[in-house]
Amino acid sequence: MIYIIQNVGDNLNSGASKIKLKDKEYILDVALLLVLIQIGRIIIKYIFLSQLNFTYENVNIANIISFMLVGISIALFLRGSDMFNSAGQRLINLNNKYHNKNKRITLGVVTVLGIVISFYYEGGYFMTALTLLTLSLIIEPIFEEILFREYLWNYIGNYEKDDKKILIIISILSALFKIGYWDIISQNLSVIGSSSYTIDIVLTKVFLGLIVSLLLGVIKIKFKDTYLCIFVHSIVNIFIGR
């Protein structure tokens, strides 16, 4: 998985040296990268899940591990590229250049309180609630926002200078990315014995994902701050993400 991402990253970087890719080929490059990320995540998950009993907690643990390993791999191979990281040497711009310190603190506190309250009202077994909330309220928002509102936003920004176009492209890609969570939804329904259909939930997540992505994109344009996007994403997931 690591070598696949590295090769795709090299291809994206080499393609980025051109002034303009023909026929929006950069979108195809990004789409390919997203497909590989989902494939890698699924492979890693099943490797870990094969060593664990098939329970709700273990499925979530395997998902958490797969998200983290894929995310770390992406960070290692893309963080040094100016095409993906406008800050040059950092994963995300850590300073307060855009004067969002107070907003970060406020949203951070709201997010933490929301997670604590969600944990209290989740009920059930401690480990079940812990793994579920860790995945949906912490791991997934961080993973998706760094991927879409940081790396891919910066990459597409090299070809599209209109923020509104970037917003639309990223929002559509982010929404379609939810289809790749088919395995997570299907397994969770299987474990809890739900009669719901996976395709219905996936389509709902794609629709909601598009709306949420548009909201997060507006925040990205207005405040130029991926941290705010992470906090808002987590807060939104408290209400619709589980």
Side-chain angles (χ1 to χ4, degrees):
M1 173 59 190
I2 293 177
Y3 292 110
I4 292 175
I5 291 179
Q6 186 177 28
N7 289 335
V8 173
D10 291 341
N11 290 337
L12 290 172
N13 283 326
S14 62
S17 62
K18 301 176 182 179
I19 296 177
K20 190 76 172 179
L21 290 177
K22 295 180 180 179
D23 300 325
K24 309 296 183 181
E25 290 179 4
Y26 65 87
I27 297 180
L28 297 178
D29 286 339
V30 171
L32 174 61
L33 178 61
L34 293 176
V35 170
L36 292 176
I37 287 173
Q38 287 287 29
I39 292 175
R41 179 190 61 76
I42 293 172
I43 291 174
I44 293 173
K45 181 190 74 173
Y46 276 105
I47 290 175
F48 278 92
L49 195 57
S50 66
Q51 306 301 314
L52 303 170
N53 294 326
F54 191 72
T55 64
Y56 194 32
E57 302 96 276
N58 288 342
V59 169
N60 285 329
I61 289 172
N63 282 319
I64 290 171
I65 293 173
S66 66
F67 271 104
M68 292 179 65
L69 290 181
V70 171
I72 291 171
S73 298
I74 296 171
L76 289 175
F77 291 112
L78 299 185
R79 67 177 296 178
S81 170
D82 289 336
M83 297 300 297
F84 291 91
N85 185 6
S86 60
Q89 301 298 322
R90 299 182 178 186
L91 181 61
I92 305 176
N93 191 7
L94 297 177
N95 60 35
N96 293 309
K97 177 179 178 181
Y98 299 102
H99 309 291
N100 294 326
K101 182 177 180 179
N102 292 335
K103 295 182 181 65
R104 288 181 180 180
I105 294 174
T106 301
L107 283 177
V109 171
V110 171
T111 300
V112 172
L113 289 176
I115 293 174
V116 172
I117 294 173
S118 297
F119 181 79
Y120 178 78
Y121 283 102
E122 187 67 30
Y125 293 108
F126 174 82
M127 281 302 299
T128 300
L130 179 63
T131 56
L132 174 62
L133 295 179
T134 298
L135 175 63
S136 62
L137 304 185
I138 300 176
I139 300 299
E140 182 186 326
I142 293 175
F143 177 86
E144 290 190 358
E145 292 315 303
I146 291 177
L147 176 61
F148 287 102
R149 248 67 62 178
E150 184 68 20
Y151 285 136
L152 298 185
W153 189 286
N154 292 335
Y155 179 74
I156 294 176
N158 290 285
Y159 304 101
E160 295 290 350
K161 302 307 179 183
D162 187 344
D163 284 340
K164 293 181 180 178
K165 290 184 179 180
I166 300 175
L167 168 64
I168 293 173
I169 294 171
I170 289 294
S171 296
I172 293 174
L173 291 173
S174 180
L176 293 177
F177 191 71
K178 301 293 184 182
I179 298 175
Y181 293 154
W182 186 286
D183 61 299
I184 297 177
I185 298 169
S186 178
Q187 283 185 333
N188 286 344
L189 292 177
S190 175
V191 172
I192 64 177
S194 174
S195 59
S196 301
Y197 292 101
T198 302
I199 187 170
D200 293 335
I201 297 178
V202 169
L203 291 178
T204 299
K205 283 188 172 292
V206 169
F207 175 72
L208 292 176
L210 179 60
I211 296 175
V212 174
S213 295
L214 289 170
L215 169 64
L216 295 170
V218 171
I219 294 174
K220 173 71 175 182
I221 292 173
K222 182 175 179 60
F223 299 104
K224 314 295 184 184
D225 194 331
T226 307
Y227 281 101
L228 297 183
C229 295
I230 293 173
F231 292 141
V232 173
H233 191 152
S234 182
I235 293 171
V236 169
N237 278 6
I238 290 174
F239 298 99
I240 68 171
R242 305 196 303 282

